Amino acid sequence: LLLIQKINAMKKLLLFLLFVTSFSLYAQSVEDDFEGNGTINSWAPDDCGINTAYNNPVQQGINTSATVLRYHDTGGQYANIRFDTWDNFDFSTGHTFSLKIFVPSSGLTGSQNNQISLKLQDGTLGQPWTTQSEVIKNITLNQWQTVTFDFLNDNYINLDGGSPPPTQRNDFNRVLLQVNGEDNTDQVIAYIDDFYYDGTIPLGPVYDTLVWQDEFDGLGAIDTNKWFHQTQFPNGDSWFNGEQQAYTNSTNNSGVSSGTLKIVALKENVQGKEYSSARLNSKFAFKYGRVEVRAKLPSVAGTWPAIWLLGKNITESGAYWETQGYGTTGWPWCGEIDIMEPNIDKTLILGTWHWDNGSGYQYNSASVPLSNSEASQNWHVYALEWNEDDMKVYLDDILVNQMPTIDPFNEEFYILLNVAMGGGLGGPIDPSFTSDQMEIDYVRIYQRSALSVDEVEKKETIKVSPNPVRDQLNIELKNNLSENVDIKLIDINGRVVGNDSFKTSASINYNTSHLQSGFYFAHLTFSDGTNNVLKFLKQ
């Protein structure tokens, strides 16, 4: 075991050295020890319970770590857990997955074969299982064991018999784990730890530049330099989907206080409707980037909140960009991206795309569970990551849905925030309803920066050490004497995790003791306006 650990450590070091040799060779390991040191942040359940930071109930044998993943199949017919990667697997760099697992006999019902299967899928498909490849391994109950899935040498099962061998494919971006098979209603409790893939995948895009934001720090009306009240009925004397509200520009329906935006639905007769609310259009349109909206949702039955985007070119009467002369394309040809919508029962959060690129109306929708009380009482971040290759919608760090960036999603879009009432998607309205609100802490849009020629030249004069680092990172500036420098720290998901300023002569000692293990990017902005991006690994 010690030898294996040393080999794995050497392998990780070699992969890291490859990572830091070239900006064009960004690569990332795929692993998780469930103690905050992994690179996987999108674990999600399908008809199954999951806890990714569960106290290890059996600290013995080969696994004495403090926390593990708890897998709880409560009888779901196709129960499993899964995660999606930020790029497709390249099996030329590795083809084996490994993990530790403990299944207590006391957590089982039925008489299924004791096994664990690892399935590789294309998560961008509407039915991702249709082209999956699977390796199944038997397990022993009541003991920790290491299980490996070798897609080159193990017997694999292709659901589609016409699919090539898995190592000859490059369309896998989802890993799915399933204990004791599928198509049964038996129950399983299992503990999983130290998931590891022996290859790497390209590092995802880093959204490091905040290009537009509203922190809602004022008091009173919304900032009309950033937002437009869409109040005109686009469908004669009503909105779409049989909704029962009128949208207004009243501060009773939308306003800023205590550092947040409140979009409030009220029971009152306005423009012949029984309810009033607000619908905001951003006066900023963009193509590609990361959108983050931190929000609490309304809870009363019949309220239908949404955080979404529409193509800037939509011909919708009364929409902001249509009033500015950009309306050339109808819906759904303009495209729609729904970052957050709840289902009628308010038990799921949906991520959905609508479009028509000449082949007829299309949509792609998926969901993750989120209870009504959890969504309304606690803050959650609803996010979209969108680049020229693909689009991904997240609830906090959980991937909700993804699809390739096809036409028309390669044009500029704008953000909409609203709370509708009733209709075919909001559902029946609680007869006792008087008011409810969606509260938003912030809206932020990040995009990727590009290095100029001067910045590339300056990049060659800067070094960091040690790398990997534990507590103190030394940034040696060489020729950049007596320059002020601002440092913005970005994690591998494109999130800003630190901002600092230094006045320095030749070097900076940067404290990294508070950082979790993983890869980071330090964006340096000098007093002459040039920039630099440094990469380092925090142990």
Side-chain angles (χ1 to χ4, degrees), residues 264-267 275 298-300 303 421 432-437:
V264 184
L266 298 169
K267 185 170 184 179
Y275 306 92
S299 62
V300 180
T303 55
M421 293 296 299
S432 64
F433 176 86
T434 57
S435 69
D436 205 352
Q437 68 179 21

Side-chain angles (χ1 to χ4, degrees), residues 511-523:
N511 184 5
T512 58
S513 61
H514 63 289
L515 300 176
Q516 294 185 344
S517 298
F519 289 107
Y520 291 88
F521 300 83
H523 289 251

Side-chain angles (χ1 to χ4, degrees), residues 66-193:
T67 55
V68 297
L69 180 150
R70 184 177 189 263
Y71 172 112
H72 189 190
D73 176 357
T74 57
Q77 188 175 7
Y78 296 97
N80 63 77
I81 60 173
R82 57 179 168 83
F83 68 86
D84 285 25
T85 56
W86 44 93
D87 207 327
N88 292 352
F89 286 101
D90 176 3
F91 287 119
S92 67
T93 69
H95 46 76
T96 300
F97 300 83
S98 65
L99 56 83
K100 294 173 184 171
I101 185 169
F102 185 103
V103 178
S105 56
S106 59
L108 300 176
T109 65
S111 57
Q112 301 299 319
N113 184 54
N114 297 317
Q115 64 181 49
I116 180 170
S117 61
L118 189 147
K119 306 179 184 184
L120 298 175
Q121 298 179 345
D122 179 356
T124 66
L125 299 178
Q127 297 179 323
W129 59 86
T130 54
T131 62
Q132 77 181 17
S133 189
E134 175 183 15
V135 170
I136 302 173
K137 291 297 183 75
N138 293 328
I139 57 176
T140 303
L141 301 180
N142 302 315
Q143 71 177 48
W144 280 107
Q145 61 222 266
T146 298
V147 182
T148 62
F149 307 85
D150 185 340
F151 279 84
L152 177 63
N153 299 302
D154 286 344
N155 293 325
Y156 60 84
I157 302 169
N158 282 345
L159 190 61
D160 179 355
S163 297
T167 54
Q168 295 179 18
R169 296 172 58 178
N170 59 7
D171 59 331
F172 291 130
N173 49 42
R174 174 171 292 177
V175 174
L176 186 148
L177 300 176
Q178 191 168 60
V179 183
N180 286 14
E182 61 182 23
D183 199 14
N184 67 74
T185 58
D186 293 333
Q187 300 184 22
V188 180
I189 292 176
Y191 306 105
I192 294 172
D193 204 2

Side-chain angles (χ1 to χ4, degrees), residues 257-484:
S257 62
S258 302
T260 64
L261 166 70
K262 284 84 172 176
I263 297 180
V264 184
L266 298 169
K267 185 170 184 179
E268 60 176 350
N269 193 299
V270 176
Q271 300 179 51
K273 303 299 180 183
E274 290 186 61
Y275 306 92
S276 66
S277 187
R279 174 176 170 126
L280 306 184
N281 297 187
S282 70
K283 292 184 177 181
F284 179 78
F286 63 102
K287 181 172 74 171
Y288 307 147
R290 176 180 170 88
V291 180
E292 288 185 6
V293 181
R294 187 170 184 256
K296 292 181 182 179
L297 307 185
S299 62
V300 180
T303 55
W304 185 35
I307 300 169
W308 53 308
L309 291 85
L310 281 172
K312 178 181 176 180
N313 57 359
I314 188 171
T315 55
E316 181 176 88
S317 298
Y320 174 71
W321 291 98
E322 193 274 342
T323 68
Q324 302 301 301
Y326 290 91
T328 61
T329 306
W331 189 94
W333 294 270
C334 65
E336 175 180 329
I337 306 172
D338 299 324
I339 300 176
M340 184 288 300
E341 290 176 330
N343 65 336
I344 290 178
D345 295 334
K346 300 188 185 304
T347 57
L348 302 171
I349 295 298
L350 289 78
T352 307
W353 288 267
H354 304 265
W355 73 95
D356 186 338
N357 54 13
S359 56
Y361 167 66
Q362 306 287 324
Y363 79 98
N364 176 351
S365 186
S367 64
V368 297
L370 186 68
S371 70
N372 189 12
S373 59
E374 173 65 23
S376 61
Q377 296 175 18
N378 297 295
W379 292 106
H380 293 280
V381 175
Y382 304 92
L384 165 71
E385 291 189 356
W386 171 31
N387 59 55
E388 59 272 17
D389 297 318
D390 57 35
M391 302 171 283
K392 298 178 180 179
V393 171
Y394 293 89
L395 165 59
D396 297 323
D397 288 330
I398 298 173
L399 181 68
V400 179
N401 198 8
Q402 66 177 351
M403 67 170 284
T405 303
I406 58 175
D407 184 52
F409 300 107
N410 46 22
E411 302 293 337
E412 288 192 332
F413 279 64
Y414 66 98
I415 297 175
L416 297 95
L417 308 172
N418 68 283
V419 177
M421 293 296 299
L425 299 174
I429 301 172
D430 187 329
S432 64
F433 176 86
T434 57
S435 69
D436 205 352
Q437 68 179 21
M438 175 165 65
E439 187 174 7
I440 296 178
D441 183 24
Y442 60 75
V443 178
R444 298 170 183 165
I445 301 175
Y446 298 87
Q447 291 183 323
R448 288 180 285 180
S449 63
L451 293 179
S452 68
V453 173
D454 289 342
E455 291 164 347
V456 171
E457 291 176 352
K458 177 166 283 189
K459 173 181 170 61
E460 298 176 356
T461 70
I462 302 175
K463 291 185 178 181
V464 295
S465 64
N467 200 353
V469 63
R470 290 190 181 274
D471 298 323
Q472 290 289 329
L473 183 71
N474 180 61
I475 303 174
E476 185 180 355
L477 301 179
K478 287 192 174 181
N479 298 333
N480 304 304
L481 301 179
S482 301
E483 286 198 47
N484 295 328

